């Protein structure tokens, strides 16, 4: 698994989701207009910024850290929440994640 591909800002392309897999595209990728999209910023130093539309359409964000363990992306938030995903596909143009339960 190439950790270098993960670093950067990823935008949820929910139109491409299928079943339990979520598709993300790099920031700047041409996506259809939407009222708001989830975004994850996986910074070089392991910091995480997760942005998402709030109920009033005002963007919200959570911070934390991220790490890669084999094919698992682990997001730890400063609120003590943790999310874990299996990386199904990754390239410079596409990230496909499946949430672990």
């Amino acid at each position: 698994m190439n950790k270098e591909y993960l670093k950067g800002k990823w935008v949820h392309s929910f139109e491409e989701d299928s079943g339990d897999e979520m598709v993300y595209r790099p920031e700047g990728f041409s996506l259809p207009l939407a009222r708001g999209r989830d975004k994850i910023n996986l910074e070089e130093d392991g910091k995480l910024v997760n942005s998402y539309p709030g109920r009033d359409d005002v963007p919200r964000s959570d911070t934390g850290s991220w790490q890669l363990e084999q094919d698992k992306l682990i997001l730890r938030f400063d609120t003590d929440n943790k999310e874990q995903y299996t990386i199904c596909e990754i390239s410079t143009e596409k990230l496909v994640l499946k949430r672990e339960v």
Side-chain angles (χ1 to χ4, degrees):
M1 185 68 50
N2 190 336
K3 188 173 183 176
E4 292 302 312
Y5 282 160
L6 276 175
K7 295 175 187 172
K9 296 179 181 179
W10 294 94
V11 180
H12 188 191
S13 178
F14 53 81
E15 299 88 350
E16 298 182 82
D17 289 355
S18 63
D20 55 358
E21 293 183 350
M22 299 178 298
V23 177
Y24 287 81
R25 296 292 186 164
E27 187 173 65
F29 190 89
S30 180
L31 293 171
L33 293 175
R35 288 184 69 181
R37 293 185 182 273
D38 293 344
K39 299 176 184 179
I40 51 175
N41 182 7
L42 305 173
E43 297 180 6
E44 176 111 14
D45 59 1
K47 290 183 183 174
L48 162 72
V49 179
N50 182 49
S51 303
Y52 51 93
R55 289 185 184 171
D56 53 3
D57 291 334
V58 175
R60 308 273 191 247
S61 64
D62 296 322
T63 58
S65 62
W66 69 277
Q67 68 185 83
L68 178 64
E69 291 181 3
Q70 297 171 356
D71 67 340
K72 306 288 186 215
L73 175 62
I74 301 166
L75 308 179
R76 289 186 173 86
F77 297 96
D78 295 337
T79 59
D80 291 331
N81 290 340
K82 175 183 168 184
E83 296 177 4
Q84 183 168 307
Y85 300 89
T86 298
I87 299 171
C88 302
E89 180 181 341
I90 186 166
S91 70
T92 57
E93 294 296 313
K94 189 176 187 181
L95 172 62
V96 181
L97 301 175
K98 180 179 178 182
R99 188 169 191 159
E100 298 292 312
V101 205

